[in-house]
Amino acid sequence: MNAKKISALLLAAAMMVPCAAPAQTVLAEEAGAIETTEAEGKAPKYIFLFIGDGMSYPQIQTTNYYLSALADDGDEILTSQSNLNMMSFPVSGSAQTYDSTSFCPDSASTATSIATGHKTYSGTINMDEKMETPYETIAEKLKAQLGYKIGILSSVNLNHATPAAFYAHQASRNSYYEIGQELIDSGFDYFAGGGLKKTTGDEEDKQDLYELAQEAGYKVIKTKAEAEALTAEDGKAIVIDETLADSDAMSYAMDLEEGEWGLADYVQKGIEVLDNDNGFFMMVEGGKIDWACHANDAGATITDTLAMDEAVGKAVDFYNEHPDETLILVTGDHETGGLTIGFAGTDYDTFLTNLENQKISYAKFDSDYVTAYKENQTDFDTVMADVTELFGLRAPNGEAETANQADSKDVHPESEDTGSLVMTEYEYNKLKAAYDETMTRTGEEEEFGQEEYLLYGSYEPLTVTITHILNNKSGINFSSYAHTGLPVEVMAMGVGQDDFAGYYDNTDIYNKVAALTGVQ
């Protein structure tokens, strides 16, 4: 379906629906939200835009309920509370996310809409559907027209689709080297997070992007010690996380070792180096929320949503010092995975505290365990002992458990709807079949049959089956390994906050910021 047809359908639907009531607003007591009248007629001097990649209402609410369940300590009566910084924002709205390709868009097109106010095809960054006309981004305009300093942060690669949408203009999001060149040419002041992809191009025959950045006047930092020492006087900086993980992205929050920096640390450093008399714009992507949802890993989804909310907390701290000059926005580019709170096997029940048993992300389990299983042809009973240790799942009748584990665990009935982590025979057999499939795979498979894909997606059968079983025993389910068409939240606090109430298109996020700041 092309863009014109989509627009026509949406317009027709809108004409048949009565006007919605204004979105309800509540004061964020702890955040010290300003009254609307104080913000009227002002332009925000400091703008934070947080984008949870793949984060829509299900990801936020699951995280919130998980924290509530932990706080309730097993009580049957749940408290109704907002545990997240972003949920305390005084204004909330919703944005629809379709693009020129699909109702289930990708990050390149949706981030383009947020950054420029234009729709385009999935996979395209800041170019029109003909791939001829580039779009200038809000970050570029704020720097060129108002002299704002600009910061671009991401827990995934800095030349990945979402961060790229604020400085690059490419027909394909996969043109990583060219996107990296545009990153350097942007002249933006502070980049931080995951490493650059394809630093010497697809053929590995081009000059390294980090070398080009240094030649262009950037200070390239790759250690935590250097990052801690960075100051505004150092000038333009590209800060790469010291402990890169899968695909040269930052580690999942649940995999961070003591003392390692997370997204909030890079936001705090960004505030230090970007603060100036003209103002700044900082885009912060929680990119691994999306990756966790693609892999149907609810535990990693929750902890990375928490990590982004902790980063939001740093912006709230700054807002409390500059309440008349700051705007903070929290949104998503699209939803990923079709996450639902509720599973057919548990009826109306959830057992979210089960997810606390997960000690490692799917990606780290793959790299640290599954790879060794294949190399050593590890037997299933040994694997099952690791599964119990790292995810809490237990074999029927206590098989593959150590004596200590058997003695220390609570006695659980085997019925799935009780929240037990003892697997049923059905679940155990599913896990054994997934183990068998994993042990036969070489990693060179180009495609899979329909049944294999529906069971495992493109992920390790053993790993994704572990997370599926743990998710379901927690009352959580995923319907897809891809993106979905859900609308996303837009939460606002600060100067111009009321403009973001209501239900609108994601292109209006750009339009509203542009109107508030007066950029042309």
PDB file of all heavy atoms in Angstrom, residues 316-335:
ATOM      1  N   VAL A 316      15.529  14.725  33.967  1.00  0.00           N
ATOM      2  CA  VAL A 316      14.610  15.311  34.943  1.00  0.00           C
ATOM      3  C   VAL A 316      15.388  16.091  36.001  1.00  0.00           C
ATOM      4  O   VAL A 316      14.978  17.187  36.416  1.00  0.00           O
ATOM      5  CB  VAL A 316      13.737  14.220  35.592  1.00  0.00           C
ATOM      6  CG1 VAL A 316      12.915  14.799  36.744  1.00  0.00           C
ATOM      7  CG2 VAL A 316      12.814  13.590  34.556  1.00  0.00           C
ATOM      8  N   ASP A 317      16.523  15.554  36.425  1.00  0.00           N
ATOM      9  CA  ASP A 317      17.366  16.282  37.377  1.00  0.00           C
ATOM     10  C   ASP A 317      17.798  17.630  36.802  1.00  0.00           C
ATOM     11  O   ASP A 317      17.792  18.655  37.491  1.00  0.00           O
ATOM     12  CB  ASP A 317      18.605  15.458  37.733  1.00  0.00           C
ATOM     13  CG  ASP A 317      18.277  14.229  38.568  1.00  0.00           C
ATOM     14  OD1 ASP A 317      17.188  14.191  39.160  1.00  0.00           O
ATOM     15  OD2 ASP A 317      19.109  13.302  38.610  1.00  0.00           O
ATOM     16  N   PHE A 318      18.162  17.629  35.518  1.00  0.00           N
ATOM     17  CA  PHE A 318      18.555  18.871  34.852  1.00  0.00           C
ATOM     18  C   PHE A 318      17.360  19.821  34.752  1.00  0.00           C
ATOM     19  O   PHE A 318      17.487  21.027  34.987  1.00  0.00           O
ATOM     20  CB  PHE A 318      19.123  18.577  33.465  1.00  0.00           C
ATOM     21  CG  PHE A 318      19.579  19.793  32.711  1.00  0.00           C
ATOM     22  CD1 PHE A 318      20.860  20.292  32.890  1.00  0.00           C
ATOM     23  CD2 PHE A 318      18.732  20.448  31.826  1.00  0.00           C
ATOM     24  CE1 PHE A 318      21.294  21.425  32.203  1.00  0.00           C
ATOM     25  CE2 PHE A 318      19.147  21.583  31.140  1.00  0.00           C
ATOM     26  CZ  PHE A 318      20.427  22.066  31.336  1.00  0.00           C
ATOM     27  N   TYR A 319      16.213  19.263  34.406  1.00  0.00           N
ATOM     28  CA  TYR A 319      14.996  20.077  34.331  1.00  0.00           C
ATOM     29  C   TYR A 319      14.703  20.770  35.659  1.00  0.00           C
ATOM     30  O   TYR A 319      14.305  21.942  35.690  1.00  0.00           O
ATOM     31  CB  TYR A 319      13.814  19.198  33.925  1.00  0.00           C
ATOM     32  CG  TYR A 319      12.479  19.813  34.255  1.00  0.00           C
ATOM     33  CD1 TYR A 319      11.884  20.726  33.396  1.00  0.00           C
ATOM     34  CD2 TYR A 319      11.823  19.492  35.447  1.00  0.00           C
ATOM     35  CE1 TYR A 319      10.673  21.318  33.712  1.00  0.00           C
ATOM     36  CE2 TYR A 319      10.607  20.079  35.770  1.00  0.00           C
ATOM     37  CZ  TYR A 319      10.043  20.987  34.906  1.00  0.00           C
ATOM     38  OH  TYR A 319       8.848  21.586  35.216  1.00  0.00           O
ATOM     39  N   ASN A 320      14.878  20.056  36.757  1.00  0.00           N
ATOM     40  CA  ASN A 320      14.595  20.644  38.065  1.00  0.00           C
ATOM     41  C   ASN A 320      15.470  21.858  38.355  1.00  0.00           C
ATOM     42  O   ASN A 320      15.085  22.736  39.132  1.00  0.00           O
ATOM     43  CB  ASN A 320      14.784  19.593  39.161  1.00  0.00           C
ATOM     44  CG  ASN A 320      13.663  18.571  39.167  1.00  0.00           C
ATOM     45  OD1 ASN A 320      12.549  18.862  38.743  1.00  0.00           O
ATOM     46  ND2 ASN A 320      13.953  17.366  39.634  1.00  0.00           N
ATOM     47  N   GLU A 321      16.626  21.927  37.710  1.00  0.00           N
ATOM     48  CA  GLU A 321      17.510  23.082  37.857  1.00  0.00           C
ATOM     49  C   GLU A 321      17.170  24.182  36.854  1.00  0.00           C
ATOM     50  O   GLU A 321      17.498  25.344  37.072  1.00  0.00           O
ATOM     51  CB  GLU A 321      18.964  22.653  37.667  1.00  0.00           C
ATOM     52  CG  GLU A 321      19.459  21.658  38.718  1.00  0.00           C
ATOM     53  CD  GLU A 321      20.869  21.185  38.432  1.00  0.00           C
ATOM     54  OE1 GLU A 321      21.459  21.651  37.428  1.00  0.00           O
ATOM     55  OE2 GLU A 321      21.381  20.353  39.201  1.00  0.00           O
ATOM     56  N   HIS A 322      16.521  23.822  35.742  1.00  0.00           N
ATOM     57  CA  HIS A 322      16.193  24.791  34.677  1.00  0.00           C
ATOM     58  C   HIS A 322      14.741  24.588  34.223  1.00  0.00           C
ATOM     59  O   HIS A 322      14.474  24.353  33.038  1.00  0.00           O
ATOM     60  CB  HIS A 322      17.133  24.603  33.476  1.00  0.00           C
ATOM     61  CG  HIS A 322      18.585  24.614  33.831  1.00  0.00           C
ATOM     62  ND1 HIS A 322      19.327  25.768  33.920  1.00  0.00           N
ATOM     63  CD2 HIS A 322      19.439  23.597  34.113  1.00  0.00           C
ATOM     64  CE1 HIS A 322      20.578  25.474  34.243  1.00  0.00           C
ATOM     65  NE2 HIS A 322      20.669  24.157  34.367  1.00  0.00           N
ATOM     66  N   PRO A 323      13.778  24.695  35.117  1.00  0.00           N
ATOM     67  CA  PRO A 323      12.390  24.354  34.769  1.00  0.00           C
ATOM     68  C   PRO A 323      11.748  25.275  33.741  1.00  0.00           C
ATOM     69  O   PRO A 323      10.815  24.872  33.054  1.00  0.00           O
ATOM     70  CB  PRO A 323      11.662  24.440  36.116  1.00  0.00           C
ATOM     71  CG  PRO A 323      12.485  25.394  36.928  1.00  0.00           C
ATOM     72  CD  PRO A 323      13.908  25.145  36.519  1.00  0.00           C
ATOM     73  N   ASP A 324      12.225  26.512  33.622  1.00  0.00           N
ATOM     74  CA  ASP A 324      11.625  27.454  32.679  1.00  0.00           C
ATOM     75  C   ASP A 324      12.285  27.436  31.309  1.00  0.00           C
ATOM     76  O   ASP A 324      11.898  28.204  30.425  1.00  0.00           O
ATOM     77  CB  ASP A 324      11.701  28.880  33.246  1.00  0.00           C
ATOM     78  CG  ASP A 324      10.905  29.028  34.527  1.00  0.00           C
ATOM     79  OD1 ASP A 324       9.918  28.278  34.693  1.00  0.00           O
ATOM     80  OD2 ASP A 324      11.264  29.865  35.369  1.00  0.00           O
ATOM     81  N   GLU A 325      13.263  26.545  31.120  1.00  0.00           N
ATOM     82  CA  GLU A 325      14.018  26.553  29.872  1.00  0.00           C
ATOM     83  C   GLU A 325      14.139  25.172  29.225  1.00  0.00           C
ATOM     84  O   GLU A 325      14.714  25.056  28.153  1.00  0.00           O
ATOM     85  CB  GLU A 325      15.437  27.077  30.128  1.00  0.00           C
ATOM     86  CG  GLU A 325      15.497  28.485  30.692  1.00  0.00           C
ATOM     87  CD  GLU A 325      16.922  28.913  30.996  1.00  0.00           C
ATOM     88  OE1 GLU A 325      17.553  28.280  31.874  1.00  0.00           O
ATOM     89  OE2 GLU A 325      17.404  29.863  30.355  1.00  0.00           O
ATOM     90  N   THR A 326      13.587  24.138  29.863  1.00  0.00           N
ATOM     91  CA  THR A 326      13.846  22.765  29.435  1.00  0.00           C
ATOM     92  C   THR A 326      12.575  22.076  28.959  1.00  0.00           C
ATOM     93  O   THR A 326      11.503  22.236  29.541  1.00  0.00           O
ATOM     94  CB  THR A 326      14.444  21.950  30.605  1.00  0.00           C
ATOM     95  OG1 THR A 326      15.610  22.617  31.086  1.00  0.00           O
ATOM     96  CG2 THR A 326      14.811  20.546  30.165  1.00  0.00           C
ATOM     97  N   LEU A 327      12.718  21.276  27.898  1.00  0.00           N
ATOM     98  CA  LEU A 327      11.648  20.399  27.414  1.00  0.00           C
ATOM     99  C   LEU A 327      12.207  18.985  27.326  1.00  0.00           C
ATOM    100  O   LEU A 327      13.274  18.760  26.741  1.00  0.00           O
ATOM    101  CB  LEU A 327      11.148  20.845  26.037  1.00  0.00           C
ATOM    102  CG  LEU A 327      10.176  19.883  25.332  1.00  0.00           C
ATOM    103  CD1 LEU A 327       8.870  19.766  26.115  1.00  0.00           C
ATOM    104  CD2 LEU A 327       9.907  20.336  23.892  1.00  0.00           C
ATOM    105  N   ILE A 328      11.499  18.033  27.907  1.00  0.00           N
ATOM    106  CA  ILE A 328      11.872  16.622  27.811  1.00  0.00           C
ATOM    107  C   ILE A 328      10.735  15.868  27.139  1.00  0.00           C
ATOM    108  O   ILE A 328       9.572  15.967  27.544  1.00  0.00           O
ATOM    109  CB  ILE A 328      12.128  15.994  29.197  1.00  0.00           C
ATOM    110  CG1 ILE A 328      13.106  16.836  30.010  1.00  0.00           C
ATOM    111  CG2 ILE A 328      12.663  14.569  29.038  1.00  0.00           C
ATOM    112  CD1 ILE A 328      13.277  16.338  31.449  1.00  0.00           C
ATOM    113  N   LEU A 329      11.067  15.118  26.099  1.00  0.00           N
ATOM    114  CA  LEU A 329      10.108  14.266  25.398  1.00  0.00           C
ATOM    115  C   LEU A 329      10.578  12.816  25.464  1.00  0.00           C
ATOM    116  O   LEU A 329      11.771  12.544  25.299  1.00  0.00           O
ATOM    117  CB  LEU A 329       9.976  14.680  23.932  1.00  0.00           C
ATOM    118  CG  LEU A 329       9.522  16.110  23.648  1.00  0.00           C
ATOM    119  CD1 LEU A 329       9.615  16.401  22.152  1.00  0.00           C
ATOM    120  CD2 LEU A 329       8.098  16.319  24.141  1.00  0.00           C
ATOM    121  N   VAL A 330       9.650  11.912  25.697  1.00  0.00           N
ATOM    122  CA  VAL A 330       9.940  10.481  25.668  1.00  0.00           C
ATOM    123  C   VAL A 330       8.944   9.830  24.729  1.00  0.00           C
ATOM    124  O   VAL A 330       7.726   9.974  24.892  1.00  0.00           O
ATOM    125  CB  VAL A 330       9.829   9.838  27.066  1.00  0.00           C
ATOM    126  CG1 VAL A 330      10.155   8.349  26.973  1.00  0.00           C
ATOM    127  CG2 VAL A 330      10.758  10.525  28.057  1.00  0.00           C
ATOM    128  N   THR A 331       9.459   9.109  23.737  1.00  0.00           N
ATOM    129  CA  THR A 331       8.584   8.454  22.768  1.00  0.00           C
ATOM    130  C   THR A 331       9.235   7.165  22.284  1.00  0.00           C
ATOM    131  O   THR A 331      10.285   6.751  22.782  1.00  0.00           O
ATOM    132  CB  THR A 331       8.271   9.407  21.592  1.00  0.00           C
ATOM    133  OG1 THR A 331       7.257   8.822  20.760  1.00  0.00           O
ATOM    134  CG2 THR A 331       9.506   9.680  20.752  1.00  0.00           C
ATOM    135  N   GLY A 332       8.593   6.522  21.326  1.00  0.00           N
ATOM    136  CA  GLY A 332       9.165   5.363  20.648  1.00  0.00           C
ATOM    137  C   GLY A 332       9.074   5.582  19.162  1.00  0.00           C
ATOM    138  O   GLY A 332       8.345   6.467  18.697  1.00  0.00           O
ATOM    139  N   ASP A 333       9.816   4.798  18.407  1.00  0.00           N
ATOM    140  CA  ASP A 333       9.689   4.911  16.955  1.00  0.00           C
ATOM    141  C   ASP A 333       8.619   3.961  16.416  1.00  0.00           C
ATOM    142  O   ASP A 333       7.936   4.257  15.447  1.00  0.00           O
ATOM    143  CB  ASP A 333      11.035   4.662  16.258  1.00  0.00           C
ATOM    144  CG  ASP A 333      11.734   3.407  16.735  1.00  0.00           C
ATOM    145  OD1 ASP A 333      11.201   2.701  17.610  1.00  0.00           O
ATOM    146  OD2 ASP A 333      12.847   3.125  16.234  1.00  0.00           O
ATOM    147  N   HIS A 334       8.435   2.824  17.075  1.00  0.00           N
ATOM    148  CA  HIS A 334       7.447   1.811  16.698  1.00  0.00           C
ATOM    149  C   HIS A 334       7.446   0.769  17.807  1.00  0.00           C
ATOM    150  O   HIS A 334       8.301   0.798  18.700  1.00  0.00           O
ATOM    151  CB  HIS A 334       7.805   1.148  15.363  1.00  0.00           C
ATOM    152  CG  HIS A 334       9.213   0.625  15.343  1.00  0.00           C
ATOM    153  ND1 HIS A 334       9.606  -0.509  16.034  1.00  0.00           N
ATOM    154  CD2 HIS A 334      10.353   1.100  14.774  1.00  0.00           C
ATOM    155  CE1 HIS A 334      10.903  -0.709  15.874  1.00  0.00           C
ATOM    156  NE2 HIS A 334      11.389   0.266  15.120  1.00  0.00           N
ATOM    157  N   GLU A 335       6.509  -0.141  17.779  1.00  0.00           N
ATOM    158  CA  GLU A 335       6.523  -1.268  18.709  1.00  0.00           C
ATOM    159  C   GLU A 335       7.177  -2.454  18.038  1.00  0.00           C
ATOM    160  O   GLU A 335       7.068  -2.654  16.823  1.00  0.00           O
ATOM    161  CB  GLU A 335       5.098  -1.636  19.134  1.00  0.00           C
ATOM    162  CG  GLU A 335       5.007  -2.505  20.384  1.00  0.00           C
ATOM    163  CD  GLU A 335       5.167  -3.996  20.122  1.00  0.00           C
ATOM    164  OE1 GLU A 335       4.966  -4.441  18.959  1.00  0.00           O
ATOM    165  OE2 GLU A 335       5.481  -4.741  21.063  1.00  0.00           O
TER     166      GLU A 335
END
